[in-house]
Amino acid sequence: AIKYGKVYITAQSVVNSLVSETIAVEVLHPLLENEEVFEAKYIRGAFGEDASSMYTVQYTTYNSKSYALLTTSDDPDFLNAKKYYGEGYYFEDLDELLIEKFEGRNIWRIEMTDLESNTEYIYKINKGNDTYSDIYTFKTAGDKTPTSFLFLTDTHYYTGTTGTTASAAVSEEIIKHAVEKNPNISFIMDAGDLIDTGGNSKIWDIYFDCATTLKQLPFMGVPGNHEYYFNNTGQKDNSYFKLYNPGPNNGPKALEGSTGWFKHNDTLFILINNVKSIGYDEQMNWIANLLETQEYS
């Protein structure tokens, strides 16, 4: 290893091109400790395996002094808040083939596993200097609460040919109207192509600038082919999607970070990455095992 980053080694059958396996060798970079930039960006939350007691928040900072403050919604001043610390890793992608590169940042993942069921929570992120992000909210599942969610797909948040954020505005209006019609919506479920070009960091900026509904609802989702663009950068593990995905990290190893499962009340949700052929057999076996071992109705 001559520097940090990942090197991918792929073995492929000469008889059947669909049969292949890839492993990654990774050299870790130390976390950033920038004492001049105190930001908490790209904040998004999602349920863990058990939506009645588990919640995960993922976000970006430029120092390692960050944490989440969590309390119930009847404590708006966070007087009884609890601190949650997460695990972080450094990420950057400066490949010359990228339209807009991913400058170095710390990616933080905070997993909360001790929550009360059927409870509305609020949280905010300490940016590292005791200033905080906006407040986000979610409600845990409970035996008597409905499992109601908003299904979206192919929203393609992007600037558009006119330089506007038209697609983002449409999607946000749809979400707001849906919640007005059904206040019991518990989370957003996205089936992929959330943004237009996963390998363009500016498109993700547009998404998070426009997606104000993330402050009100957990986000569950899987990648589409647009989250993988552009593949000519050598991306093998859907690293762009994983930067922003707080979903349950309990899927098969070959597709870690882009597959998983969770239960909301008595409903089992299985999140599947079917964009690439890598790891298909492992994923199919994983699904079969889930259906045989998990209780659901």
mmCIF file of all heavy atoms in Angstrom, residues 135-151:
data_model
loop_
_atom_site.group_PDB
_atom_site.id
_atom_site.type_symbol
_atom_site.label_atom_id
_atom_site.label_comp_id
_atom_site.label_asym_id
_atom_site.label_seq_id
_atom_site.Cartn_x
_atom_site.Cartn_y
_atom_site.Cartn_z
ATOM 1 N N ILE A 135 -33.160 20.799 13.988
ATOM 2 C CA ILE A 135 -33.762 19.690 14.737
ATOM 3 C C ILE A 135 -34.488 18.744 13.774
ATOM 4 O O ILE A 135 -35.217 19.179 12.885
ATOM 5 C CB ILE A 135 -34.732 20.228 15.804
ATOM 6 C CG1 ILE A 135 -33.954 21.024 16.859
ATOM 7 C CG2 ILE A 135 -35.507 19.078 16.462
ATOM 8 C CD1 ILE A 135 -34.835 21.709 17.880
ATOM 9 N N TYR A 136 -34.266 17.454 13.982
ATOM 10 C CA TYR A 136 -34.907 16.403 13.192
ATOM 11 C C TYR A 136 -35.833 15.597 14.104
ATOM 12 O O TYR A 136 -35.609 15.521 15.316
ATOM 13 C CB TYR A 136 -33.859 15.474 12.578
ATOM 14 C CG TYR A 136 -33.043 16.123 11.485
ATOM 15 C CD1 TYR A 136 -32.164 17.166 11.767
ATOM 16 C CD2 TYR A 136 -33.146 15.710 10.157
ATOM 17 C CE1 TYR A 136 -31.418 17.777 10.764
ATOM 18 C CE2 TYR A 136 -32.407 16.299 9.152
ATOM 19 C CZ TYR A 136 -31.548 17.324 9.458
ATOM 20 O OH TYR A 136 -30.815 17.931 8.467
ATOM 21 N N THR A 137 -36.838 14.983 13.514
ATOM 22 C CA THR A 137 -37.805 14.237 14.322
ATOM 23 C C THR A 137 -38.144 12.898 13.686
ATOM 24 O O THR A 137 -38.022 12.718 12.471
ATOM 25 C CB THR A 137 -39.103 15.061 14.511
ATOM 26 O OG1 THR A 137 -39.987 14.353 15.387
ATOM 27 C CG2 THR A 137 -39.794 15.305 13.179
ATOM 28 N N PHE A 138 -38.560 11.944 14.516
ATOM 29 C CA PHE A 138 -39.059 10.650 14.047
ATOM 30 C C PHE A 138 -39.888 10.022 15.160
ATOM 31 O O PHE A 138 -39.799 10.443 16.321
ATOM 32 C CB PHE A 138 -37.917 9.707 13.645
ATOM 33 C CG PHE A 138 -37.056 9.250 14.796
ATOM 34 C CD1 PHE A 138 -37.323 8.064 15.471
ATOM 35 C CD2 PHE A 138 -35.966 10.013 15.214
ATOM 36 C CE1 PHE A 138 -36.521 7.646 16.533
ATOM 37 C CE2 PHE A 138 -35.165 9.611 16.274
ATOM 38 C CZ PHE A 138 -35.446 8.423 16.931
ATOM 39 N N LYS A 139 -40.681 9.035 14.796
ATOM 40 C CA LYS A 139 -41.488 8.323 15.779
ATOM 41 C C LYS A 139 -41.246 6.831 15.643
ATOM 42 O O LYS A 139 -41.308 6.270 14.545
ATOM 43 C CB LYS A 139 -42.979 8.617 15.570
ATOM 44 C CG LYS A 139 -43.874 8.003 16.654
ATOM 45 C CD LYS A 139 -45.328 8.391 16.452
ATOM 46 C CE LYS A 139 -46.214 7.814 17.549
ATOM 47 N NZ LYS A 139 -47.642 8.204 17.384
ATOM 48 N N THR A 140 -40.931 6.192 16.759
ATOM 49 C CA THR A 140 -40.694 4.758 16.737
ATOM 50 C C THR A 140 -42.002 3.994 16.528
ATOM 51 O O THR A 140 -43.091 4.507 16.783
ATOM 52 C CB THR A 140 -40.048 4.288 18.052
ATOM 53 O OG1 THR A 140 -40.848 4.744 19.153
ATOM 54 C CG2 THR A 140 -38.637 4.834 18.178
ATOM 55 N N ALA A 141 -41.882 2.774 16.060
ATOM 56 C CA ALA A 141 -43.053 1.921 15.848
ATOM 57 C C ALA A 141 -43.568 1.437 17.201
ATOM 58 O O ALA A 141 -42.896 1.520 18.217
ATOM 59 C CB ALA A 141 -42.687 0.736 14.964
ATOM 60 N N GLY A 142 -44.786 0.927 17.183
ATOM 61 C CA GLY A 142 -45.393 0.368 18.386
ATOM 62 C C GLY A 142 -46.496 -0.572 17.972
ATOM 63 O O GLY A 142 -47.014 -0.491 16.849
ATOM 64 N N ASP A 143 -46.878 -1.456 18.852
ATOM 65 C CA ASP A 143 -47.844 -2.507 18.509
ATOM 66 C C ASP A 143 -49.159 -1.970 17.962
ATOM 67 O O ASP A 143 -49.796 -2.600 17.121
ATOM 68 C CB ASP A 143 -48.125 -3.377 19.734
ATOM 69 C CG ASP A 143 -46.918 -4.197 20.144
ATOM 70 O OD1 ASP A 143 -46.044 -4.409 19.281
ATOM 71 O OD2 ASP A 143 -46.837 -4.598 21.316
ATOM 72 N N LYS A 144 -49.587 -0.800 18.421
ATOM 73 C CA LYS A 144 -50.899 -0.287 18.020
ATOM 74 C C LYS A 144 -50.808 0.845 16.998
ATOM 75 O O LYS A 144 -51.828 1.417 16.618
ATOM 76 C CB LYS A 144 -51.661 0.179 19.256
ATOM 77 C CG LYS A 144 -51.977 -0.957 20.234
ATOM 78 C CD LYS A 144 -52.767 -0.447 21.429
ATOM 79 C CE LYS A 144 -53.071 -1.581 22.393
ATOM 80 N NZ LYS A 144 -53.846 -1.118 23.574
ATOM 81 N N THR A 145 -49.592 1.194 16.573
ATOM 82 C CA THR A 145 -49.460 2.251 15.572
ATOM 83 C C THR A 145 -49.513 1.650 14.178
ATOM 84 O O THR A 145 -49.084 0.520 13.962
ATOM 85 C CB THR A 145 -48.130 3.003 15.745
ATOM 86 O OG1 THR A 145 -47.047 2.090 15.574
ATOM 87 C CG2 THR A 145 -48.042 3.648 17.110
ATOM 88 N N PRO A 146 -50.031 2.392 13.208
ATOM 89 C CA PRO A 146 -50.121 1.837 11.850
ATOM 90 C C PRO A 146 -48.760 1.807 11.163
ATOM 91 O O PRO A 146 -47.887 2.618 11.450
ATOM 92 C CB PRO A 146 -51.059 2.819 11.137
ATOM 93 C CG PRO A 146 -50.857 4.110 11.858
ATOM 94 C CD PRO A 146 -50.625 3.736 13.299
ATOM 95 N N THR A 147 -48.580 0.825 10.280
ATOM 96 C CA THR A 147 -47.407 0.798 9.418
ATOM 97 C C THR A 147 -47.816 1.443 8.108
ATOM 98 O O THR A 147 -48.397 0.823 7.224
ATOM 99 C CB THR A 147 -46.909 -0.635 9.178
ATOM 100 O OG1 THR A 147 -46.482 -1.192 10.423
ATOM 101 C CG2 THR A 147 -45.741 -0.649 8.199
ATOM 102 N N SER A 148 -47.549 2.723 8.021
ATOM 103 C CA SER A 148 -47.935 3.504 6.849
ATOM 104 C C SER A 148 -46.705 4.241 6.352
ATOM 105 O O SER A 148 -46.024 4.911 7.130
ATOM 106 C CB SER A 148 -49.047 4.497 7.217
ATOM 107 O OG SER A 148 -49.422 5.271 6.096
ATOM 108 N N PHE A 149 -46.384 4.092 5.071
ATOM 109 C CA PHE A 149 -45.190 4.735 4.540
ATOM 110 C C PHE A 149 -45.474 5.282 3.147
ATOM 111 O O PHE A 149 -46.426 4.895 2.479
ATOM 112 C CB PHE A 149 -44.013 3.754 4.497
ATOM 113 C CG PHE A 149 -44.237 2.548 3.620
ATOM 114 C CD1 PHE A 149 -43.803 2.536 2.296
ATOM 115 C CD2 PHE A 149 -44.866 1.413 4.118
ATOM 116 C CE1 PHE A 149 -44.007 1.432 1.494
ATOM 117 C CE2 PHE A 149 -45.072 0.290 3.321
ATOM 118 C CZ PHE A 149 -44.639 0.300 1.993
ATOM 119 N N LEU A 150 -44.614 6.200 2.723
ATOM 120 C CA LEU A 150 -44.739 6.810 1.401
ATOM 121 C C LEU A 150 -43.702 6.193 0.479
ATOM 122 O O LEU A 150 -42.505 6.264 0.741
ATOM 123 C CB LEU A 150 -44.524 8.321 1.489
ATOM 124 C CG LEU A 150 -44.518 9.089 0.159
ATOM 125 C CD1 LEU A 150 -45.856 8.943 -0.549
ATOM 126 C CD2 LEU A 150 -44.191 10.553 0.396
ATOM 127 N N PHE A 151 -44.158 5.586 -0.611
ATOM 128 C CA PHE A 151 -43.266 4.927 -1.567
ATOM 129 C C PHE A 151 -42.944 5.877 -2.711
ATOM 130 O O PHE A 151 -43.836 6.422 -3.352
ATOM 131 C CB PHE A 151 -43.922 3.653 -2.112
ATOM 132 C CG PHE A 151 -43.063 2.911 -3.100
ATOM 133 C CD1 PHE A 151 -42.119 2.005 -2.653
ATOM 134 C CD2 PHE A 151 -43.192 3.123 -4.456
ATOM 135 C CE1 PHE A 151 -41.315 1.324 -3.546
ATOM 136 C CE2 PHE A 151 -42.402 2.444 -5.370
ATOM 137 C CZ PHE A 151 -41.458 1.544 -4.907
#
